[in-house]
Amino acid sequence: MVRDGVAIRRRMRTWDLEERQGTIEPLNVYPPAFKNEFATGQTKSKHVRGKFAVHPSKLGADSTRSRLRVHNTSYTKDGKRIGPRVVFVRYPKLVAPSRTRYMSQLLERVRWAERHCSSDPKIARQQALAKSMDSRRKCKKSKGARHLGFWRHRRKRPCVTAQYRCLRPKVMGAVDRFLKYTRRHVLDPLSHVIEMEHPEIVETMTKVCCYLLSHEHVRKAMRKRPALNFGRLFTTMALSEGGSQRNHVGWLDDPNLLAWVIPLGNFGQSYTCFPQLGKKYALRAGDACGMASRHLSHRAELLGVGHRDVITMFTHRSLVKAAEDWWESRSEVQRALAVELMVKFD
């Protein structure tokens, strides 16, 4: 159940809505592994090295602080829309700055536990070298993202991500504290906004959630670790420091859904850059933005210094496809029972 729904509705009334039109220019050059991606499910590179109409270093800055929505005006010759109807949306100050700083502190405790709970001295030294950034260092990505939650990557059925299963007990406890706080103060308000403004996402994610809960091992994992329950609209979380400053595409994301990005911490000005749209949009701590990451090449532009953590919520494309097939094979009674079970776990 979404908490503080009345407070979220009041906050949304104070947001001025600015709407834009955006056409997704097709990428001229894809990575070499892109052609084999659908056959093997694997890619060797996720970075895009295309030639864009506007050079990535000459994008027009859009620093407006109001609620922003960029509609998709890209269609094929047959009149079919390419991607979702909205390619970018931003909700300013969805999370209070004090809470974003506290969440960064919780992540720092996770990193501290990782450094001190390792039994291998070599691993401990490597993790000690990868210290988090302080106010005297520039914001930049220090290492790859950590994936938590459920997905179906290279498997026949959904499962808990390996990066969560391999955590040591003390580290897992610190991660669970962070996930529980994030569910209450970030994911629940964001879910309420999505339910009001993006009904097509709610419809798809309801099928995905019912498909997940139809597996006994998923229900068992949620009972054992309630922190893995992100609600009915989210399945996988990616945690990273700084931000990738190379143009890339979310190859694992579903093409018809939005990936949601929430920056945390205390840092200077930052932008999310979209070379295909020819724009870069301001993104501050506590803002929530959704983007069609499977279609739009994007990168982060970080100005100034500070500590910046990033939460990215997305759904694996193979999980959505399996959920659609599973939903079509169910009868009306089975669908009703699945929805009832979903409400029980929510």
Side-chain angles (χ1 to χ4, degrees):
M1 181 181 296
V2 178
R3 304 176 180 90
D4 302 330
V6 176
I8 292 298
R9 284 195 292 271
R10 276 189 204 142
R11 193 180 309 171
M12 289 185 67
R13 293 193 196 103
T14 64
W15 294 339
D16 295 328
L17 175 61
E18 294 194 18
E19 305 204 30
R20 308 274 198 275
Q21 301 291 329
T23 301
I24 303 176
E25 297 183 2
L27 297 175
N28 296 326
V29 180
Y30 285 100
F34 178 77
K35 295 180 180 179
N36 299 328
E37 176 198 359
F38 297 100
T40 63
Q42 304 178 17
T43 54
K44 296 182 180 179
S45 174
K46 65 178 182 179
H47 298 291
V48 178
R49 302 178 179 87
K51 294 183 179 179
F52 306 103
V54 179
H55 194 273
S57 63
K58 299 180 181 180
L59 301 180
D62 192 330
S63 302
T64 177
R65 296 298 301 136
S66 60
R67 180 162 58 117
L68 183 63
R69 183 187 302 157
V70 180
H71 293 273
N72 187 3
T73 58
S74 303
Y75 293 89
T76 62
K77 294 181 180 179
D78 300 334
K80 184 178 180 181
R81 182 186 289 114
I82 303 175
R85 64 180 180 87
V86 176
V87 293
F88 179 80
V89 62
R90 183 189 62 205
Y91 301 105
K93 295 184 179 180
L94 187 72
V95 186
S98 59
R99 287 178 176 168
T100 65
R101 290 192 291 269
Y102 178 69
M103 292 171 69
S104 287
Q105 294 175 9
L106 292 178
L107 285 177
E108 182 61 33
R109 295 178 189 176
V110 172
R111 290 187 281 266
W112 183 91
E114 287 180 334
R115 293 194 296 267
H116 291 78
C117 293
S118 175
S119 59
D120 188 344
K122 182 178 179 181
I123 296 177
R125 287 196 300 271
Q126 292 175 350
Q127 293 175 341
L129 291 175
K131 291 182 179 180
S132 62
M133 298 162 296
D134 54 26
S135 58
R136 293 168 295 180
R137 297 176 60 190
K138 285 188 176 182
C139 288
K140 61 181 181 180
K141 190 169 183 178
S142 59
K143 53 184 177 179
R146 180 199 304 276
H147 296 93
L148 308 173
F150 297 93
W151 63 4
R152 194 172 170 265
H153 189 44
R154 304 175 188 172
R155 289 178 177 267
K156 295 182 179 180
R157 63 176 189 170
C159 63
V160 181
T161 59
Q163 289 177 322
Y164 182 87
R165 297 196 308 268
C166 297
L167 293 177
R168 297 178 179 274
K170 290 186 179 179
V171 180
M172 189 174 292
V175 171
D176 286 351
R177 284 192 291 273
F178 171 78
L179 294 180
K180 289 178 181 178
Y181 191 90
T182 303
R183 166 73 193 271
R184 178 175 180 83
H185 297 289
V186 179
L187 301 185
D188 281 349
L190 181 57
S191 296
H192 195 80
V193 174
I194 294 174
E195 288 176 355
M196 289 190 293
E197 298 208 339
H198 304 277
E200 68 282 356
I201 295 180
V202 177
E203 180 181 357
T204 301
M205 291 308 300
T206 298
K207 299 176 184 178
V208 173
C209 188
C210 291
Y211 169 71
L212 279 176
L213 294 175
S214 67
H215 296 82
E216 177 61 31
H217 67 282
V218 173
R219 299 196 297 270
K220 184 178 178 180
M222 284 190 179
R223 293 191 187 100
K224 185 177 180 180
R225 292 287 177 182
L228 288 175
N229 186 359
F230 300 146
R232 67 180 69 179
L233 299 184
F234 309 104
T235 59
T236 314
M237 175 188 295
L239 297 176
S240 60
E241 287 186 73
S244 177
Q245 299 184 31
R246 299 178 63 183
N247 292 312
H248 63 282
V249 173
W251 302 115
L252 300 180
D253 300 355
D254 184 77
N256 296 316
L257 295 177
L258 301 179
W260 298 92
V261 178
I262 305 98
L264 310 174
N266 187 12
F267 55 91
Q269 182 74 20
S270 70
Y271 291 91
T272 302
C273 306
F274 300 101
Q276 290 162 275
L277 299 178
K279 282 287 185 179
K280 58 181 181 180
Y281 301 104
L283 194 63
R284 295 176 174 83
D287 293 355
C289 77
M291 67 181 76
S293 57
R294 185 63 178 81
H295 296 280
L296 286 179
S297 172
H298 57 278
R299 65 180 175 87
E301 182 177 310
L302 309 175
L303 307 177
V305 295
H307 186 182
R308 185 179 189 263
D309 292 305
V310 181
I311 298 175
T312 304
M313 305 300 302
F314 69 97
T315 303
H316 198 279
R317 65 175 188 272
S318 63
L319 189 62
V320 176
K321 185 178 184 303
E324 294 281 0
D325 297 339
W326 176 85
W327 186 264
E328 292 296 329
S329 64
R330 303 292 103 177
S331 64
E332 293 295 334
V333 175
Q334 291 173 328
R335 294 177 183 178
L337 292 175
V339 172
E340 183 178 349
L341 180 63
M342 178 191 68
V343 174
K344 178 182 177 181
F345 269 82
D346 194 24

